[in-house]
């Protein structure tokens, strides 16, 4: 039996740099976003759900997907929060100012949610069922950061 006196501890900050392949489906999604500002999903060949982000297999019924479908750029908030704790945005490496809205959004024409930042950051101005619209960067690079945030659409219910 070992005791704490037998334990050797080394303090070391590991810094691993790596690249990974996005794969065929994510690559097409990101390239289309970059080149045209369009958002794509894939339609399940069995249950016909449109999956965003696109994927080769339906997570609901395990059937392969088939057709590519353009969705959005509007959508509906299905859940949200207002974040009041600062953190470094992993998409940009920049600390996000607080507070900021963050939501699950079902894009028009999709059956699944994506999550993204909201322009609105006041609890009392947000609600489930609210219509939002993607705001894109003028110069896109092919990442989810090409969507700056989703803004609320006035007059929507």
């Amino acid at each position: 039996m070992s005791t704490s006196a037998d334990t050797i501890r080394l303090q070391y900050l590991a810094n691993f740099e790596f690249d990974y392949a996005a794969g065929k489906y994510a690559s097409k999604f990101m390239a289309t976003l970059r080149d045209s500002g369009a958002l794509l999903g894939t339609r399940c060949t069995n249950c016909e759900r449109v999956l965003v982000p696109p994927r080769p297999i339906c997570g609901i019924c395990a059937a392969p997907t088939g057709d590519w479908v353009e969705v959005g750029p509007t959508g509906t908030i299905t859940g949200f929060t207002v974040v009041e704790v600062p953190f470094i945005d992993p998409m940009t490496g920049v600390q996000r100012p607080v507070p900021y809205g963050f939501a699950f959004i079902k894009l028009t024409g999709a059956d699944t949610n994506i999550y993204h930042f909201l322009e609105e950051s006041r609890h009392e101005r947000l609600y489930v069922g609210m219509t939002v619209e993607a705001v894109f960067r003028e110069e896109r690079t092919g990442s989810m950061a090409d969507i700056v945030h989703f803004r609320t659409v006035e007059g929507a219910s």
Side-chain angles (χ1 to χ4, degrees), residues 25-41 52-54 68 70-71 73 91 107 114 116 134-148 150:
Y25 287 78
S27 293
K28 181 171 180 172
F29 177 83
M30 296 300 179
T32 302
L33 176 58
R34 177 194 65 217
D35 298 341
S36 68
L39 299 164
L40 296 177
V52 179
W68 287 85
E70 187 171 341
V71 297
M91 291 190 288
L107 294 169
I114 64 168
H116 214 291
V135 175
F136 299 98
R137 293 194 190 289
E138 204 168 301
E139 292 189 31
R140 297 180 297 273
T141 62
S143 80
M144 285 304 287
D146 289 343
I147 303 172
V148 178
F150 282 80

Side-chain angles (χ1 to χ4, degrees), residues 57-140:
I57 301 293
C58 178
I60 306 299
C61 72
T65 58
D67 296 335
W68 287 85
V69 179
E70 187 171 341
V71 297
T74 60
T76 304
I77 292 177
T78 60
F80 71 91
T81 190
V82 173
V83 179
E84 298 186 21
V85 177
F87 85 109
I88 303 296
D89 181 347
M91 291 190 288
T92 63
V94 175
Q95 185 167 323
R96 292 202 56 86
V98 290
Y100 62 89
F102 197 74
F104 285 110
I105 299 163
K106 186 189 287 188
L107 294 169
T108 303
D111 293 295
T112 58
N113 294 302
I114 64 168
Y115 54 90
H116 214 291
F117 300 109
L118 298 172
E119 178 182 48
E120 182 58 62
S121 62
R122 292 171 287 180
H123 287 277
E124 65 275 8
R125 305 251 351 236
L126 294 167
Y127 57 90
V128 170
M130 175 177 263
T131 301
V132 292
E133 179 178 39
V135 175
F136 299 98
R137 293 194 190 289
E138 204 168 301
E139 292 189 31
R140 297 180 297 273

